[in-house]
Amino acid sequence: QVHLVESGGGSVQSGGSLRLSCAVSGNSRRRYCMGWSRQIPGKAREGVATIDSDSTTLYSDSVKGRFIISQDSAKNTLYLEMNSLKPEDAGMYYCGAAGGPSRCDPAGYYALGYWGQGIQVTVSS
């Protein structure tokens, strides 16, 4: 069983930055795909970024060049650095982890079997 807890959300003005953190516990030493997804009001949930066990990172087109996913294995923490935030980035952000080998790309975010409760990001114009 993998337990994930997000932190770092909040409110920011358009053009600002936020860094989300996700504390991961309960997983084995072997690392599998991890990632972030978001739920924007009025839109379907979408995968935002993924990082594979070999540290390969992938991003959705909507955040490419603005968001950076990273992980600190020593701290068992996943991060999402969000820069140049836009009002359309506002929503609930969720971190996820795979419990075993899986596809690892934002479009396949649903393959991550474990998810946190989510954290709110608000961007004012």
Side-chain angles (χ1 to χ4, degrees):
Q1 188 74 17
V2 181
H3 188 55
L4 306 105
V5 179
E6 301 94 340
S7 62
S11 297
V12 65
Q13 287 192 328
S14 181
S17 299
L18 279 175
R19 188 175 80 157
L20 303 182
S21 299
C22 175
V24 185
S25 61
N27 54 336
S28 65
R29 287 187 175 183
R30 185 168 183 176
R31 306 296 175 187
Y32 297 107
C33 181
M34 297 189 68
W36 293 89
S37 66
R38 67 185 182 184
Q39 181 76 61
I40 296 173
K43 295 188 177 181
R45 188 159 169 174
E46 66 169 328
V48 171
T50 55
I51 183 166
D52 211 338
S53 56
D54 62 358
S55 297
T56 298
T57 58
L58 293 172
Y59 301 90
S60 65
D61 288 342
S62 59
V63 307
K64 194 176 297 181
R66 299 187 297 124
F67 290 13
I68 300 171
I69 186 172
S70 62
Q71 61 184 358
D72 185 331
S73 298
K75 295 182 179 179
N76 247 4
T77 303
L78 180 72
Y79 301 100
L80 184 68
E81 182 179 340
M82 305 185 294
N83 301 306
S84 302
L85 282 161
K86 306 173 183 179
E88 53 263 42
D89 291 318
M92 287 292 289
Y93 283 72
Y94 303 87
C95 70
S102 70
R103 64 178 291 180
C104 195
D105 60 278
Y109 74 92
Y110 49 82
L112 303 180
Y114 298 96
W115 292 96
Q117 292 297 307
I119 194 160
Q120 182 70 40
V121 171
T122 302
V123 184
S124 57
S125 56

